[in-house]
Each structure stands twice: as C-alpha cells, then as structure tokens.
Amino acid sequence: MSTSATAAPLLALLRRNAASPSISLPLFLHLTSPSSPPPPHTTAFLSRILLSPSSSSAAAAAVLVRHILTFPDPSPHLLALLLLPPHGLPLAVALPAFRSLRALPSPPPTAVYNRLLLAALREGEFELVESLYKDLLLSGASPDVFTRNILMEALCSAGRVELARRVFDAMPVRNDFSFGIMARGYCRVGRSGDALGVIDSMPRVNLVVCNTVVAGFCREGRVDEAERLVERMRDEGLAPNVVTFNARISALCKAGRVLDAYRIFNDMQENWERGLPRPDQVTFDVMLSGFCDAGMVDEARVLVDIMRCGGFLRRVESYNRWLSGLVRNGMVGEAQELLREMAHEGVQPNGYTYNIIVDGLCKEGKAFDVRKVEDFMKSGVMTPDVVTYTSLLHAYCSEGNAAAANRILDEMAQKGCAPNSFTYNVLLQSLWKAGRITEAERLLERMSEQGYNLDTASCNIIIDGLCRNNKLDLAMDIVDGMWNEGCLALGRLGYSFLSLLTDSSSSKRCLPDRISYSTLISALCKGGRFDEAKKKLLEMIGKDISPDSVIYDTFIHGYCKHGKTSLAVKVLRDMEKKGCKPNTRTYNLLVWGFREKHNSSEILKLMSEMKEKGIVPDVITYNSLIKSFCERGMVNKAMPLLDEMLHNEIVPNVTSFDLLIKAFCKASDFSAAQRVFDASLSTCGQKEVLYSLMCTQFSTYGRWMEAMNILETALELRISIHRFPYKQIIEGLCRVNEVDHAYRLLKLLMVKGYSFDPAAFMPVIDTLSERGKKQDVDTLSEKMMEMAERDDGLAAPSGGYKPRSQKHVQSKYAESDWHALLHRDDSARTVLKITKRVKTGWGQRGNIYDNKQQQQNDDIYLPALKIIF
C-alpha cells in the first residue's frame, strides 16, 4: 500500500482517537512500516497526541522514535518531532532523536538546536545547553538571536553572569528579550545596579525590563533607586503598570515602611482615573502580608473586609496570608474562626492552611492545645504531613515531653511520613538548648539508624548549645576540627557521640559556614573576648567565607555593651573599608551604645552621618535619642523629634510617647504631657496601653481628677481596665474630699458591666460612713457583697497597681484578700456585719469585655537590638 493511500485514512483514524493515546499509537504502528511510511505531518500529529497534557507519555513517544528510525529516510519525521512546540518533546525523547538526525550527512537546522536548547533549559540541564551550543558551532549551523538568548538564560540561571555578559556583548543583533535576560540575570545575583546599566544601553526602554530592575532594586532594599527608575519611566513616556506598583509596595513593606506602601496602595484605589493601575489580587495579598508582618492587625482586618467586598478573598492563598498574620500576632482563636469561615465560603483549605493553625497552637506552649491538635489530626479533617508532625514535635520538646515526641516519631513511621533533616534538627535544637544531652544522643542514634547524616545545620545547633552553656572553648575546638573531619569533629564531645558518627565522605563535607563563625564570634564578644573574636573573623576570611553585616554588628554590639564605643566606631569604619555596607540596625547599635553613656551629641552626629549616606533612621533610632534627652532632663529638646519623625515619614510608636509623657510628668508639666497623650491617640489609635499609661502617670503624681477623666473615657470606649490603677484613683479621690466623684466612678464601672475588684468599694464606703450617709453605705455594701459572692473563689488577673514613685502613697485598701479586710479595725460597722456571711475570699477581676487584640510589644529599647543567631 502506498504512502498516499494510507495517509488520509490513518490521519482520519488518529483524529477520531485523539483523546485516546493508548489507541492512537497501536494504530500508527500497525498501519505504517518501512515499506509504507506515513507523511511527516502525520507523525507530528501523533506526537502531539502522545505528548498532550492529558497523556504526557514520554515512554510512548520513545516507542514512536524507535519506529521512525526503521523508515528508509527518518530525517523528515525526526525534524517534525523535534520542531514540535517548545513545551512538547521531553529531553529524554528528543536527545535520541537528535543523535540519529545528527549522524546523517547534513546537519540539523538551527531551529532543531533551538528546540533542544530550550528543552535542556526547561529541565535545568545548563551544561547540556553549553554542549549543544558548541555542537551547533561545530556543525556549521549559524546561531540566531534566539539561540544566543537561550544560552544567556542558561548561564544566568547557573549563576555565571560574567560569561553571559560576554555572550551578550558579542551578539551581532539583540532583541528586547536579550536585554531582559541580561537584566534579570544581574538582578538574580543582587547586582541591580549593573542591570540598570543594561537599561541604559537599550535603544528604547521596555516596560518588562524596567519592571524587572525595579523589582531587583526592591528585593535588595534599595527602595530610593527603585523610585528613581519609576520616575525615569514616566519621564520617558512609559506608564508603570500594576507589576511596577506591586514591586514597590512589596519592597516598602519588607523595609518596614508599611504606611508608605499603603499610600501607594490607596492611590491605586482612589486615583485610577488619573492613569494609575487598579490593585489586583497580588496587590491586595502583598499589602495584607505587609500589615500582618508589621503587627498592624487592626489595619489588616479593615483591608480583609475590603477584600471580602471586592471579591479578593476567594483564594486559599489569601486566606493563608491572613491566617498566618493572625497566628503570628497571637490570635490563634480568631484564626480558628477564620478556618470555619473558609468552609462556609466554599474555600477548600490546603495542607499549608492546617499547618499554620497547628504551628500556632503548638507555639502557644499549652499541652492541652497540643493534644487538641492531635485530636484534630485524627478526626480526618486534615492529612498531616512532615511539616505538621514537625510542629507537634517542636511543641512537645519545648515542654520537655520526650515520651510524646518519641511517640510522634513512631506515628510518622507507621503513617509512612518520613522525617527529614529539618525535622531532626528541630528536635536536636530543642533537646540541646534544654540541656537534655542524653536524649539528644538517643536522637542522634536514631538518625544514624535511619540513614540520616549530620549536616552543617546539625553541627551549628550543637555549637550554639555549647556556647549557651559556657563551653565556648569546646565549641571552638569543634569548629576547628570540622575543616578536616567534618561532623566527626563532634566526637570531641565524648565517646558516646563518636560512636554515632560514620566516617563517610558526606560526613567530611560537613564544613563550617558563616553561621558557625557568627555563633562563635557572638559568644566571644558577649564574653568580652574580643581578641579571640577578631582572630576568628580573620580565620573565616582566610577560608573564603565573607563576613556579612550581622557579624560586624556583633562586634559593634559587643563593644557597646562593654562601654567601648570608640572601638565600635572603628569597627564601623573597617566594615565600610571592606565593602560591607552598614544598615539602619548597625547605626542603631551604635546609637544605643552612646545612649547608655548619655552622649546625645554623638547620637546626633551618627544620625547626621546616616542621612549623608542615605541610611534612613527608624523609630528605634529616634526613640534612643528621645530617651537620651529625657534621661538628662532635656525633654524640651526631645519634643521636636516627634515633628522631625513625622516629617521624615517615620511613625512614632507607643514607646516614643511613653518616654515623653513620663518625662513631662516627672517635670510636673502635666499640660504638656496631656498634649503628647492627645497626639499619641491620633497617631497610634485608641490603645489600652496609652490610656493605662496616662492614667497611671496622673495617679502616680496625685493628679486624681485628671486620672479619673482618663479612666472615664476608657470606660466609655469599653477598654479593659486590667492594667489601670482604678482602686488607687478611687481612694485618692476620697482622700482629697472628692468622694462624690469616686462614687460616680463606681457607678459607671457597674453600669458599663465591668467586673472589678470588690475592694474598690471600701474607700467610698468608709468615707460615706464617716459622713453619716448610712443609706448610701448600705447600698454600696450590698452591691459589694453581691459582687464578692458572684466572684467568690474565681482566679482572675489583678487590676491593682503598685506605684514606683514615693509621691504615690500605698493604698490601705490594696489587699484583695477578704479575710484581711475582715480583721481591719477601720472598716465600717455595716460592712463588718455583711462580711460575716462570707466564708471565702475573692480574686480580682478584669474587664468582662475581653480585649481580643494582643497588645503590640513596643518595648524595643535593647531587646529589639539583640542579634539572634
């Protein structure tokens, strides 16, 4: 049968069976042979069937290639195969076909090489890309711009940017893709400045390439340079699109400039008529993560409501971002509610969703919650994976429950969920930090039995544990030994460790890294052993491990902690000479050091230097300067810093206002303190901590009426009074003959439904009793007893306050133990009669309107400056 006779029926049969590759291939094999080959386009059609997304049968394609090679002239069929669309033929099938074609006298055309190069690039075979390119040159084929672009992409993906640049410079013709590949290659390795040079060499700017470089600058934290490039795009008539704006918002959020990011986001929402792009799903997701990462949960909650209304909260990824934000900010209960909302909205949670909840519950450190998570897993709602089990293991190890941790490991084995190295390292870290060396040895033994080798991360955990337990010399000895012995150096810990280690090549590849040296240098600096720390720094440089800003910051922090600020400044200068750029944290450590020495002038010099170098001071920098001025009684110099912060788009936090309010109160300038308080509410919002702070300060200095006014405002706002000195205020009012105001305050507490310490009634009852107001005394006594009986025996957080100032007199009513009040000689007779009916004491109650929002930790003086390894 001739080819022409079989071609049409065969093609028709293939078309009818296109949805069934398992039928199409046998038909083709049966109806074609070396004596009756089909036309090449029929072969190509079958190849597309075999490699369709529904089939993806590389094995069937390989059978087809072997059949083609039996044809008298397979070259047109091989060409048809190799010239399939770019994402068609797998490399495992294409290479044998190419080798057969390459063996023919005439070389394959450039288009075939391009298809193979693209397949090799797609599968990450970068060395094969270079080999194929060299073969192309040897075959006499001419590489085109597409060929060279693929080669550049492969070189950049392999990190060989300089070689890619040589290819780029030698290209006789370039297109926009050439410039984009080169710019993206530079951005991948953190050289966005060089990528900007690529844009400069373009005949006309391209939106995609510019967006690539804007994103690169943003990832490197070079936000100002990204903004300049955006302005340049506008000047050259290239309108930034939503991708540009998303990169800017993401960078600002990562740099901690969330409010700046929100301004851009808000402009996109409100000013789109002026040509700005509308926010898309990515914009909303990035902004949500920015708010959550900054602890701005209230703002994030408003954004989530906007996303619900606009239809942007329908993807599991968006819910996961919000869930993660709630969990990170301590709102696990609300996160669980959100999980139920997902089910109601028809959004299917994935494994990552459940792992967020599990991780949050486990990190609360409550055994009940951990068991609850296990019950949740066994209910069948979720399928636990290695991440889920790792969270559980970490929780049990943190509690010291080794038996439960081992049980989880056994369950993983039964369920076929193999622990990975990260799982074992989490366990090892928990045990080692807790000093449970014997259990850590058992874990190492178990790792060895299951074929897991210790890696550098495992060794770093042990090194860190030694440093924390004041065994620094042993830790240094292990790091020294790792260069020659790998993890076998841990044998220095004793024979029990040596017996668990194997002398394998993988063990010897376990070498110290930057974290190993950072851990040692940090411990040495904390111990004041700076000469040894410097030796370790030189050693790591000699081993081709470049120190980063964190290591230099460690020296600066260590010197400042030991009062050696001049040496800390020398480290800063040396750091700059070595090409390691200091950042805001570096300067904040120096500022903290000079603040400890009450040297405000040096802090001002450092801040001026930061501005000259384009390093933006943050709220920590300003708070250090404010504190320095306030501690020296120079509050009038500290006050203008608030305006300067706002001018520089740095939002003051609670700590900023706390420092100023306390300083003004100490200086008896209460009107100025009130003005600062009013400014704090407009800047930080109606936060409990601010009202509590102001109320406490007024109370401390005997300003009872002002304190009462602040407390009444807090009650109207339904703010928790858990941290308010309400009992002292009531007693203080009674002491200055303002019992009517104290009585009114008690009534307001009851009317608003607050549950508070019944001892707060006593000053008012005593004062009214002295004035002979028996009816009011009886009424209040009955109310007090009702509250005492209702709250009897319940443990609740104390609402009392113990003043630090000598100006604040200790309250004689501070005791909340009912038996102590029972034996008081100065109690009113009416109260004594009622107390006889009470058998037990009471606790102190907080607000029944529980504040579900965790207070953001603003105590950032020194803790925020600590370097954690």
Side-chain angles (χ1 to χ4, degrees):
M1 189 180 292
S2 67
T3 300
S4 59
T6 59
L10 175 59
L11 191 57
L13 284 171
L14 292 176
R15 283 174 177 158
R16 281 200 297 271
N17 293 281
S20 304
S22 59
I23 298 175
S24 302
L25 181 60
L27 278 172
F28 184 89
L29 297 176
H30 179 69
L31 296 176
T32 62
S33 65
S35 60
S36 181
H41 68 270
T42 307
T43 306
F45 184 78
L46 174 62
S47 303
R48 283 193 289 272
I49 293 174
L50 297 179
L51 298 169
S52 65
S54 60
S55 171
S56 301
S57 176
V63 171
L64 175 62
V65 170
R66 288 196 294 271
H67 183 68
I68 288 171
L69 291 176
T70 64
F71 297 163
D73 184 11
S75 57
H77 300 275
L78 293 173
L79 279 172
L81 270 176
L82 293 169
L83 291 174
L84 282 173
H87 299 290
L89 206 61
L91 200 56
V93 178
L95 275 177
F98 171 76
R99 292 190 186 103
S100 301
L101 193 63
R102 184 72 175 86
L104 299 174
S106 57
T110 302
V112 170
Y113 277 102
N114 287 346
R115 288 289 190 269
L116 273 174
L117 287 165
L118 197 59
L121 177 64
R122 189 173 62 243
E123 297 184 26
E125 298 287 347
F126 304 130
E127 292 183 4
L128 180 60
V129 171
E130 288 189 68
S131 300
L132 286 169
Y133 186 80
K134 291 174 183 175
D135 188 73
L136 179 149
L137 298 176
L138 290 171
S139 71
S142 299
D144 56 18
V145 65
F146 185 62
T147 317
R148 292 187 173 93
N149 282 349
I150 296 172
L151 177 61
M152 276 202 308
E153 182 69 52
L155 291 170
C156 288
S157 298
R160 302 171 67 185
V161 185
E162 294 302 330
L163 186 55
R165 181 64 196 230
R166 288 206 292 272
V167 174
F168 176 80
D169 291 338
M171 290 177 72
V173 179
R174 305 185 188 115
N175 58 16
D176 285 347
F177 290 105
S178 312
F179 290 100
I181 290 166
M182 197 64 248
R184 186 167 60 251
Y186 277 131
C187 291
R188 277 178 182 167
V189 294
R191 293 171 57 181
S192 298
D194 292 324
L196 185 62
V198 174
I199 291 179
D200 294 337
S201 66
M202 294 180 72
R204 62 185 181 280
V205 290
N206 175 284
L207 180 62
V208 175
V209 180
C210 287
N211 282 346
T212 299
V213 181
V214 167
F217 277 132
C218 291
R219 279 194 300 272
E220 294 171 33
R222 300 162 68 177
V223 180
D224 294 336
E225 289 167 90
E227 293 297 312
R228 282 195 291 270
L229 179 54
V230 171
E231 289 303 316
R232 175 180 167 183
M233 291 167 66
R234 288 195 177 103
D235 293 342
E236 298 190 20
L238 197 64
N241 61 6
V242 69
V243 177
T244 321
F245 277 79
N246 288 347
R248 296 166 67 198
I249 290 171
S250 177
L252 288 167
C253 288
K254 287 177 181 176
R257 296 166 60 181
V258 182
L259 292 180
D260 288 340
Y262 183 69
R263 289 190 191 99
I264 295 174
F265 174 80
N266 203 42
D267 287 342
M268 294 173 71
Q269 283 188 300
E270 297 180 358
N271 298 329
W272 58 273
E273 292 179 352
R274 296 190 304 181
L276 297 183
R278 295 299 299 270
D280 62 4
Q281 184 69 57
V282 175
T283 321
F284 278 100
D285 286 346
V286 168
M287 196 69 247
L288 178 59
S289 293
F291 278 140
C292 292
D293 292 343
M296 301 168 70
V297 183
D298 291 339
E299 291 81 357
R301 192 174 281 108
V302 172
L303 182 63
V304 167
D305 289 338
I306 295 172
M307 292 173 71
R308 282 195 186 97
C309 295
F312 288 101
L313 197 66
R314 294 176 181 170
R315 298 165 63 248
V316 67
E317 292 80 10
S318 303
Y319 272 102
N320 285 347
R321 286 173 185 262
W322 183 217
L323 279 166
S324 182
L326 289 170
V327 168
R328 284 201 308 275
N329 287 280
M331 300 177 184
V332 181
E334 192 171 342
Q336 289 174 290
E337 289 292 332
L338 188 63
L339 195 62
R340 284 187 276 272
E341 178 191 314
M342 291 176 68
H344 183 265
E345 294 295 327
V347 179
Q348 184 63 39
N350 56 20
Y352 182 62
T353 311
Y354 290 117
N355 283 336
I356 292 169
I357 301 294
V358 169
D359 189 56
L361 289 170
C362 290
K363 284 181 178 175
E364 283 192 341
K366 298 175 182 176
F368 171 77
D369 281 335
V370 180
R371 290 194 296 271
K372 186 177 177 182
V373 171
E374 285 200 67
D375 294 338
F376 181 60
M377 289 165 52
K378 292 173 183 175
S379 68
V381 175
M382 65 176 293
T383 302
D385 58 13
V386 66
V387 178
T388 321
Y389 282 118
T390 300
S391 297
L392 284 172
L393 286 166
H394 186 265
Y396 280 128
C397 286
S398 298
E399 295 173 0
N401 193 341
N406 282 318
R407 177 172 53 77
I408 295 296
L409 279 173
D410 292 336
E411 184 179 326
M412 290 179 74
Q414 293 169 7
K415 294 290 178 70
C417 183
N420 55 25
S421 297
F422 180 73
T423 308
Y424 278 118
N425 283 338
V426 165
L427 286 168
L428 186 62
Q429 185 175 34
S430 299
L431 295 170
W432 195 251
K433 282 176 71 174
R436 300 202 292 273
I437 308 300
T438 304
E439 293 168 47
E441 289 180 22
R442 290 200 199 102
L443 176 65
L444 289 170
E445 186 175 1
R446 186 164 187 162
M447 290 173 67
S448 178
E449 289 172 356
Q450 296 187 9
Y452 287 94
N453 289 316
L454 292 181
D455 55 14
T456 300
S458 311
C459 293
N460 285 341
I461 289 168
I462 293 173
I463 291 164
D464 180 64
L466 290 170
C467 291
R468 290 174 184 271
N469 287 282
N470 298 318
K471 296 181 179 179
L472 185 50
D473 293 327
L474 181 56
M476 287 195 291
D477 193 24
I478 288 173
V479 171
D480 292 340
M482 285 173 67
W483 285 111
N484 295 320
E485 306 167 41
C487 66
L488 294 174
L490 294 178
R492 289 163 171 75
L493 293 169
Y495 179 76
S496 58
F497 275 87
L498 185 61
S499 64
L500 303 177
L501 302 169
T502 57
D503 186 10
S504 64
S505 58
S506 59
S507 299
K508 292 186 177 179
R509 285 199 302 270
C510 182
L511 301 176
D513 60 6
R514 187 181 286 114
I515 296 175
S516 314
Y517 280 97
S518 294
T519 305
L520 286 180
I521 289 171
S522 177
L524 288 166
C525 287
K526 284 177 183 176
R529 298 164 63 174
F530 295 107
D531 290 339
E532 292 172 87
K534 281 189 251 182
K535 288 179 182 176
K536 286 296 168 188
L537 177 66
L538 294 173
E539 180 182 307
M540 67 181 290
I541 293 172
K543 299 286 188 180
D544 291 328
I545 302 174
S546 302
D548 57 7
S549 62
V550 174
I551 290 178
Y552 285 109
D553 288 353
T554 302
F555 278 99
I556 290 172
H557 183 231
Y559 280 131
C560 288
K561 192 175 179 181
H562 287 79
K564 301 179 180 181
T565 49
S566 58
L567 290 175
V569 173
K570 286 182 180 179
V571 172
L572 173 67
R573 304 300 172 222
D574 186 59
M575 177 181 182
E576 293 170 322
K577 287 177 185 176
K578 294 290 196 314
C580 185
K581 292 183 179 179
N583 52 30
T584 304
R585 182 181 62 179
T586 309
Y587 277 93
N588 280 346
L589 289 166
L590 278 168
V591 166
W592 173 81
F594 283 112
R595 192 202 76 202
E596 290 295 294
K597 287 193 163 187
H598 308 289
N599 194 335
S600 305
S601 59
E602 287 297 329
I603 296 175
L604 288 169
K605 287 180 185 177
L606 285 171
M607 292 180 70
S608 176
E609 183 179 312
M610 290 173 74
K611 292 171 185 175
E612 289 175 5
K613 295 178 179 179
I615 300 171
V616 183
D618 61 10
V619 68
I620 299 176
T621 323
Y622 277 100
N623 282 351
S624 291
L625 183 55
I626 289 171
K627 187 174 185 184
S628 179
F629 280 135
C630 289
E631 286 176 343
R632 296 172 63 193
M634 302 164 68
V635 66
N636 290 326
K637 283 192 174 183
M639 188 63 187
L641 293 172
L642 280 183
D643 292 331
E644 185 179 327
M645 290 170 74
L646 294 171
H647 177 74
N648 292 332
E649 299 184 340
I650 299 169
V651 182
N653 61 11
V654 171
T655 301
S656 316
F657 294 108
D658 177 284
L659 293 166
L660 290 168
I661 288 170
K662 287 179 178 176
F664 277 124
C665 287
K666 187 176 181 180
S668 298
D669 192 347
F670 297 102
S671 59
Q674 182 68 51
R675 288 196 297 273
V676 175
F677 172 66
D678 293 338
S680 72
L681 295 180
S682 61
T683 304
C684 301
Q686 307 286 330
K687 289 190 175 182
E688 175 195 337
V689 65
L690 293 170
Y691 281 96
S692 173
L693 163 69
M694 198 65 193
C695 195
T696 300
Q697 286 301 302
F698 278 148
S699 178
T700 299
Y701 292 94
R703 311 286 292 194
W704 304 114
M705 293 298 292
E706 291 98 325
M708 181 194 70
N709 291 334
I710 296 291
L711 178 54
E712 286 182 344
T713 304
L715 295 176
E716 293 294 338
L717 293 170
R718 297 295 177 93
I719 291 174
S720 169
I721 60 168
H722 173 60
R723 296 181 179 86
F724 282 66
Y726 59 89
K727 289 191 296 179
Q728 283 75 19
I729 294 171
I730 290 170
E731 183 185 353
L733 289 169
C734 292
R735 199 162 53 241
V736 296
N737 297 318
E738 296 289 353
V739 67
D740 292 338
H741 288 292
Y743 195 176
R744 191 185 74 196
L745 190 55
L746 276 176
K747 287 181 179 177
L748 186 60
L749 283 165
M750 290 185 284
V751 167
K752 293 294 181 182
Y754 280 82
S755 179
F756 57 92
D757 184 358
F761 284 91
M762 293 304 302
V764 181
I765 290 173
D766 285 348
T767 306
L768 291 175
S769 180
E770 290 171 3
R771 295 186 179 185
K773 295 187 177 183
K774 184 177 183 302
Q775 185 176 353
D776 290 337
V777 168
D778 289 345
T779 301
L780 285 179
S781 298
E782 291 291 344
K783 290 287 185 185
M784 180 179 70
M785 290 312 304
E786 287 175 12
M787 185 178 292
E789 289 174 349
R790 183 175 67 246
D791 300 341
D792 187 27
L794 296 176
S798 172
Y801 170 75
K802 294 182 179 179
R804 299 177 185 176
S805 173
Q806 293 293 330
K807 297 182 182 181
H808 192 140
V809 181
Q810 177 66 38
S811 171
K812 64 181 178 180
Y813 303 98
E815 292 278 354
S816 63
D817 183 352
W818 182 254
H819 295 289
L821 289 174
L822 181 65
H823 293 95
R824 267 188 28 215
D825 294 332
D826 59 345
S827 295
R829 183 169 300 185
T830 306
V831 178
L832 284 171
K833 289 179 180 178
I834 298 171
T835 58
K836 292 177 182 178
R837 302 201 304 264
V838 181
K839 296 179 180 179
T840 58
W842 64 63
Q844 295 177 341
R845 302 285 289 172
N847 185 4
I848 61 170
Y849 300 97
D850 292 330
N851 187 357
K852 294 182 179 180
Q853 301 173 12
Q854 183 185 16
Q855 179 58 50
Q856 182 181 1
N857 181 12
D858 286 293
D859 264 333
I860 50 175
Y861 304 147
L862 176 58
L865 300 176
K866 287 184 178 178
I867 300 169
I868 302 171
F869 297 100

